[in-house]
């Protein structure tokens, strides 16, 4: 074992989902090591512990895993469970952590951010419950990064990650496991695979875009091999270190290949995509894109059709910027409904306490109590289960849903790579003006209330403040502003715009048109385009 003395590094603060930086930063000698040692110190050491480790296959994935294995051994870990070839989707890693009752896990991914030596890399630590590190743990890890002075690393060669089975590194056991098998077995317990098989056997066609990221092997195993979807259903199914040069973010902008298929001639019945590490999802019918907020609401309304929810859904949760569509389902069906800060970790205590069974976020994350991360393929399977049971198309499901519950028109406008100081000043100045906004009129709307969201966890009593600015207007409209916690360049300002529509003849408008008033009012209040020097948002979803 080698002890390496290191100069204290500038503190590295993890964002909404672990630490994300440019790949070359992670490759600077000592950077990864300092951060990993900070994690191990921050969780109270590794001695005698077992961890899961795997990543989304992006550039530097295997090298980083080899380093972490050597460091875990030098820090006295007892066992590491590694996905074959270093691959594990985030949901599969979460499941393995829970299945084996381990002390947590390391997931190497920058999620939906591009991969490659000139792109992004990331590392997150997940807790023994399978969920992202809590605020208390990320704070402890951050504290370590500010004063770390040495790290421990075993002097050993690389481990063969291609061969399944048991091996060891110094005194530490290593188990190289099939990354797909346990996850697929779990899915079979949740959904009616027989009904979905009948659906595909009847000629139902779908396209799943794995975006050259980690979900390819999972989607092929489940959709093509087990459920009988036609060969070729999964496109871009081989994980590549640079995701084929693409941006593995499942939204209509980045998944444009799939959108082209779904709106083109001969479009299949159903389309879906997943992101770099397989926790995000996009759902699209023939010519019918489903927003993540609507997807959560439709799932909540129809969950009882899947065996996993045959006993009902006691409660649901959504992040604050996610639309209120699911709230309306919860109110109608007598489910509890919780509004949490952005970040899957905030769902963890609610799920652990059995207060909710379904959760979702506007950022393309949907999931349930079967594990403690959002789960892209799970979302696809529950949609397939609902379609198989109802016999309805995606657009019929949406039309019926809006007729029953109203439609929460929704859009997110992103201003990307804004200079950090400009973004911080804009947010602070707006925050300072919030008390004066109530009662004022902007572009035909009147502000009813404006505040900064704070959350009191109903289970552990912890309070989280500063979670985004909320502006509530009349006419059931709302705007939310927050700074992204997952970007790797400058700051990204997110603007979330929403309005409820219940008039039957107004349920099928284009979202940007339906939201024109809210967009104009918010621009008038914030002056965001002018202040960031843009003509408009960089991305509208
Ligand atoms: C991560 C978290 C999500 C969260 C999202 C927000 O997603 O896991 O729970 O909703 O960040 O992103 P931002 O702060 O940029 O709005 P992922 O898929 O990147 O891990």
């Amino acid at each position: 074992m080698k002890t390496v003395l290191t100069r204290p590094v500038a503190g590295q603060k993890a964002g909404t989902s672990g630490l994300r930086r440019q790949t070359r930063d992670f490759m600077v000698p000592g950077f990864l090591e300092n951060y990993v040692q900070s994690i191990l110190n921050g969780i109270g050491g590794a001695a005698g512990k077992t961890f899961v480790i795997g990543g989304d296959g992006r550039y530097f994935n295997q090298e980083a895993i080899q380093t972490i294995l050597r460091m875990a051994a030098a820090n006295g870990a007892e066992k590491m469970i590694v996905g074959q070839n270093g691959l594990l989707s985030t949901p599969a890693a979460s499941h393995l952590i829970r299945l084996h009752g381990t002390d947590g896990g390391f997931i190497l991914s920058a999620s939906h951010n591009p991969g490659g030596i000139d792109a992004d890399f990331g590392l997150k630590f997940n807790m023994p419950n399978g969920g992202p590190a809590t605020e208390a743990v990320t704070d402890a890890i951050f504290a370590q990064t500010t004063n770390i002075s040495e790290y421990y690393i075993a002097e050993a060669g690389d481990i063969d990650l291609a061969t399944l089975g048991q091996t060891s590194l110094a005194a530490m056991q290593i188990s190289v496991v099939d990354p797909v098998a346990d996850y697929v077995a779990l899915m079979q317990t949740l959904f009616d695979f027989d009904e979905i098989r009948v659906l595909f056997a009847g000629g139902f066609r779908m396209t799943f875009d794995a975006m050259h990221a980690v979900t390819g092997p999972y989607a092929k195993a489940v959709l093509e091999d087990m459920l009988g979807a036609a060969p070729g259903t999964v496109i871009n199914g081989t994980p590549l270190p640079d995701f084929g040069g693409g941006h593995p973010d499942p939204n209509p902008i980045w998944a444009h290949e799939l959108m082209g298929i779904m709106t083109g001639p001969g479009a299949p019945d159903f389309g879906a995509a997943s992101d770099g590490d397989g926790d995000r999802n996009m759902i699209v019918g023939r010519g019918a894109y489903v927003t993540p907020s609507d997807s959560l609401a439709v799932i909540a309304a129809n969950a009882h059709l899947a065996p996993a929810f045959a006993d009902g859904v006691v409660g649901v949760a959504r992040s604050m910027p996610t639309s209120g569509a699911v709230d309306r389902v919860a109110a109608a069906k007598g489910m509890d409904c919780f509004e949490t800060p952005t970040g899957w970790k905030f769902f963890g205590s609610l799920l652990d306490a059995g207060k909710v069974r379904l959760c979702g976020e506007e950022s393309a994350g949907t999931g349930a109590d079967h594990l403690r991360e959002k789960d892209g393929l799970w979302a696809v399977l529950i949609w397939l289960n609902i379609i198989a049971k109802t016999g309805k198309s995606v657009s019929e499901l949406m039309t019926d849903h809006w007729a029953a519950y109203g439609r929460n028109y929704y859009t997110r406008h992103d201003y990307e790579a804004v200079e950090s100081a400009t973004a911080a000043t804009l947010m602070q100045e707006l925050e300072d003006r919030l008390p004066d906004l109530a009662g004022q009129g902007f572009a035909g709307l009147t502000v009813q209330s404006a505040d900064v969201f704070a959350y009191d966890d109903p289970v552990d009593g912890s309070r989280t403040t500063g979670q985004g600015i909320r502006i509530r207007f009349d006419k059931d409209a709302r705007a939310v502003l927050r700074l992204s916690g997952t970007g790797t360049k400058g700051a990204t300002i997110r603007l979330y715009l929403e309005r409820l529509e219940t008039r039957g003849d107004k349920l099928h408008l284009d979202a940007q048109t339906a939201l024109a008033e809210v967009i104009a009012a918010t621009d008038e209040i914030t002056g965001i385009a002018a202040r960031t020097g843009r003509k408009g948002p960089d991305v509208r979803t």
Side-chain angles (χ1 to χ4, degrees):
M1 185 190 85
K2 193 160 75 170
T3 307
V4 183
L5 294 176
T6 166
R7 279 179 291 120
V9 288
Q12 294 294 326
K13 180 106 178 117
T16 354
S17 187
L19 184 69
R20 290 190 191 151
R21 291 287 180 273
Q22 300 195 349
T23 310
R24 286 187 193 272
D25 291 342
F26 265 99
M27 294 171 71
V28 169
F31 184 98
L32 174 68
E33 291 85 343
N34 278 320
Y35 193 60
V36 170
Q37 190 66 53
S38 298
I39 293 175
L40 296 176
N41 295 349
I43 61 169
K49 293 185 178 171
T50 296
F51 300 107
V52 168
I53 184 167
D56 63 11
R58 68 180 61 223
Y59 188 92
F60 197 52
N61 187 51
Q62 294 231 14
E63 293 86 333
I65 290 176
Q66 297 288 356
T67 299
I68 298 171
L69 290 175
R70 284 195 273 274
M71 291 186 66
N75 278 275
E78 185 177 318
K79 183 172 179 185
M80 297 293 279
I81 300 169
V82 197
Q84 188 180 28
N85 295 317
L87 292 180
L88 278 178
S89 74
T90 287
S94 179
H95 178 51
L96 282 180
I97 291 169
R98 297 166 65 78
L99 183 68
H100 296 287
T102 69
D103 299 287
F106 295 87
I107 303 175
L108 299 95
S109 172
S111 187
H112 53 290
N113 297 94
I117 189 164
D118 291 312
D120 298 327
F121 194 78
L123 173 62
K124 56 183 174 176
F125 180 78
N126 276 33
M127 309 282 287
N129 76 344
T134 58
E135 294 276 280
V137 170
T138 52
D139 286 349
I141 294 170
F142 173 62
Q144 291 291 328
T145 67
T146 62
N147 61 18
I148 182 170
S149 58
E150 59 187 11
Y151 63 83
Y152 304 98
I153 187 158
E155 292 177 288
D158 280 357
I159 296 295
D160 172 10
L161 298 180
T163 309
L164 292 174
Q166 311 299 319
T167 173
S168 62
L169 196 166
M172 184 178 79
Q173 299 167 51
I174 295 178
S175 179
V176 180
V177 301
D178 181 332
V180 176
D182 290 315
Y183 174 84
V184 171
L186 174 65
M187 291 302 116
Q188 279 182 280
T189 67
L190 304 175
F191 302 113
D192 195 331
F193 272 36
D194 288 338
E195 288 269 359
I196 304 174
R197 256 183 225 113
V198 171
L199 180 74
F200 281 117
F204 184 85
R205 291 185 305 124
M206 100 172 254
T207 297
F208 180 97
D209 189 352
M211 305 187 89
H212 286 303
V214 78
T215 334
Y218 296 85
K220 270 193 190 138
V222 174
L223 300 173
E224 295 184 13
D225 300 347
M226 299 185 73
L227 295 173
T233 291
V234 178
I235 61 169
N236 302 319
T238 305
L240 297 176
D242 67 347
F243 306 124
H247 203 125
D249 194 353
N251 63 42
I253 306 290
W254 294 112
H256 45 81
E257 183 180 350
L258 177 65
M259 288 306 284
I261 293 171
M262 297 308 298
T263 51
D269 303 283
F270 186 59
S274 192
D275 71 333
D277 60 331
D279 56 0
R280 296 185 176 207
N281 75 87
M282 180 173 96
I283 301 294
V284 54
R286 192 179 287 139
Y289 166 70
V290 182
T291 69
S293 296
D294 275 347
S295 176
L296 175 64
V298 170
I299 291 171
N302 296 284
H304 58 278
L305 300 175
F309 300 106
D311 295 340
V313 174
V314 54
V316 293
R318 64 164 170 86
S319 67
M320 182 274 282
T322 303
S323 93
V326 74
D327 304 32
R328 299 181 64 77
V329 175
K333 297 209 161 220
M335 302 167 181
D336 290 333
C337 185
F338 296 84
E339 183 180 40
T340 62
T342 294
W344 204 264
K345 59 185 157 202
F346 293 102
F347 296 139
S349 70
L350 298 172
L351 290 163
D352 286 347
K355 286 186 175 296
V356 303
R357 299 203 59 202
L358 285 172
C359 325
E361 297 183 289
E362 54 70 35
S363 57
T366 338
D369 54 359
H370 63 291
L371 41 83
R372 292 295 179 272
E373 285 278 6
K374 51 192 184 272
D375 189 343
L377 198 48
W378 173 92
V380 174
L381 289 170
I382 196 161
W383 267 89
L384 285 171
N385 200 139
I386 292 167
I387 291 168
K389 287 275 187 191
T390 59
K392 292 181 187 170
S393 69
V394 173
S395 78
E396 286 166 343
L397 282 165
M398 293 318 305
T399 299
D400 292 355
H401 187 90
W402 293 331
Y405 299 98
R407 177 172 179 184
N408 290 70
Y409 280 106
Y410 190 81
T411 186
R412 188 176 95 183
H413 290 185
D414 295 333
Y415 292 79
E416 294 180 336
V418 177
E419 203 216 335
S420 300
T422 307
T425 309
L426 187 151
M427 293 296 284
Q428 188 56 55
E429 287 180 5
L430 178 59
E431 201 177 313
D432 294 343
R433 285 170 49 218
L434 294 181
D436 304 326
L437 288 182
Q440 290 196 46
F442 300 91
L445 292 176
T446 304
V447 175
Q448 292 188 325
S449 64
D451 66 354
V452 177
F453 181 52
Y455 176 65
D456 294 303
D457 187 305
V459 182
D460 65 19
S462 62
R463 184 170 178 81
T464 309
T465 55
Q467 294 300 308
I469 292 173
R470 298 190 287 195
I471 303 173
R472 190 159 277 292
F473 300 97
D474 59 345
K475 302 189 192 169
D476 290 314
R478 181 181 85 146
V480 169
L481 275 94
R482 61 176 279 281
L483 294 177
S484 158
T486 61
T488 53
K489 269 189 221 124
T492 296
I493 305 172
R494 300 205 195 285
L495 201 58
Y496 311 84
L497 304 147
E498 174 182 0
R499 184 175 68 80
L500 171 67
E501 178 62 73
T502 51
R503 292 169 293 181
D505 59 338
K506 300 256 184 315
L507 295 174
H508 292 273
L509 303 177
D510 162 69
Q512 304 296 322
T513 309
L515 291 164
E517 255 183 351
V518 198
I519 294 169
T522 309
D523 195 49
E524 206 177 309
I525 293 172
T526 62
I528 188 168
R531 296 187 60 166
T532 53
R534 316 283 165 101
K535 288 207 171 61
D538 298 284
V539 181
R540 285 186 184 86
T541 44

